[in-house]
Amino acid sequence: DGGITQSPKYLFRKEGQNVTLSCEQNLNHDAMYWYRQDPGQGLRLIYYSQIVNDFQKGDIAEGYSVSREKKESFPLTVTSAQKNPTAFYLCASSIQGARDYGYTFGSGTRLTVV
Amino acid sequence: AQSVTQPDIHITVSEGASLELRCNYSYGATPYLFWYVQSPGQGLQLLLKYFSGDTLVQGIKGFEAEFKRSQSSFNLRKPSVHWSDAAEYFCAAATSGTYKYIFGTGTRLKVLA
């Protein structure tokens, strides 16, 4: 079955560490997205990519980095510059034009700073 | 600025009762509108979407939503709620030429047995 796989499901980070969250899709979708979810704040866009080797900052990109070397993969790195990284991170993908078909979401990664 | 508002943070209903979750949007033109559902610790699942045409749209799991241009609203409804409907519901909007959604802050639904 096609879908989006996020790993790991739970991730713990020490102060000052960089960590990378994995997102892989086998839906042949062109566009991929990273959202951050905090209680009471809904979903906020971190980065998105419409095609391979191209990506754009979202609303809260500071302290994060991404790459899109393959169509199937869109990893997110949470750097030590992100001062409050504890959150639930959701990856999504869409056929070109999310407005037409909607997003397919992964099951998320919960990141906790220890 | 474009925005999506879900005025109810929490809603509690009894099993078998009807449900209406509110969503209002602020856009220059009518956006494409969506409702998603999220179970605890999971990703979001698309319930239904509105692009144009019939203002009453049917979705999965027995949900429907009505688009009202005059009220800038896209409320989600279900005639009879089941205990398994307990989850968080998000309204979202997107406009032509964009790959990005704007999400509301969500409404958490609790269902009483």
Side-chain angles (χ1 to χ4, degrees):
Chain A
D1 287 339
I4 297 182
T5 301
Q6 289 188 243
S7 62
K9 190 169 180 63
Y10 299 96
L11 187 57
F12 298 90
R13 192 193 93 167
K14 294 182 179 179
E15 296 281 353
Q17 272 186 339
N18 293 353
V19 292
T20 297
L21 284 60
S22 171
C23 178
E24 303 276 337
Q25 55 101 356
N26 60 4
L27 299 164
N28 200 33
H29 284 176
D30 297 296
M32 298 186 74
Y33 313 79
W34 275 105
Y35 281 88
R36 170 176 171 147
Q37 186 177 20
D38 297 280
Q41 296 194 47
L43 280 72
R44 293 182 291 168
L45 182 64
I46 305 172
Y47 270 97
Y48 67 103
S49 168
Q50 299 173 25
I51 57 173
V52 174
N53 292 322
D54 187 47
F55 47 83
Q56 288 78 40
K57 292 182 179 179
D59 302 315
I60 56 165
E62 185 175 353
Y64 300 97
S65 66
V66 293
S67 63
R68 186 86 186 276
E69 297 176 1
K70 299 186 300 181
K71 187 176 185 178
E72 302 78 19
S73 179
F74 192 41
L76 173 73
T77 296
V78 184
T79 75
S80 56
Q82 171 50 239
K83 297 306 179 187
N84 184 25
T86 295
F88 191 54
Y89 290 87
L90 286 162
C91 180
S93 69
S94 70
I95 298 171
Q96 271 201 4
R99 66 184 178 89
D100 298 317
Y101 300 100
Y103 288 166
T104 299
F105 280 90
S107 56
T109 293
R110 185 165 298 282
L111 174 62
T112 304
V113 174
V114 296
Chain B
Q2 298 171 336
S3 66
V4 174
T5 302
Q6 293 180 248
D8 303 305
I9 298 174
H10 297 280
I11 283 186
T12 300
V13 299
S14 298
E15 191 170 19
S18 63
L19 171 70
E20 183 169 30
L21 303 182
R22 295 184 291 165
C23 173
N24 294 96
Y25 64 89
S26 175
Y27 272 75
T30 299
Y32 290 32
L33 295 160
F34 306 82
W35 275 100
Y36 284 84
V37 60
Q38 184 182 33
S39 298
Q42 297 297 314
L44 280 69
Q45 180 183 21
L46 180 65
L47 285 175
L48 47 78
K49 55 187 181 284
Y50 172 77
F51 296 157
S52 64
D54 192 348
T55 57
L56 185 64
V57 294
Q58 301 297 320
I60 62 172
K61 306 186 179 193
F63 285 92
E64 65 179 26
E66 185 172 15
F67 169 69
K68 293 185 177 179
R69 184 188 305 274
S70 62
Q71 298 178 18
S72 297
S73 69
F74 187 57
N75 294 349
L76 182 71
R77 301 195 296 242
K78 187 169 186 179
S80 177
V81 171
H82 188 263
W83 64 266
S84 61
D85 293 324
E88 190 156 20
Y89 292 81
F90 291 92
C91 182
T95 54
S96 175
T98 180
Y99 283 77
K100 301 190 295 181
Y101 282 11
I102 294 177
F103 282 89
T105 52
T107 298
R108 187 170 297 278
L109 174 66
K110 182 177 180 179
V111 180
L112 301 177

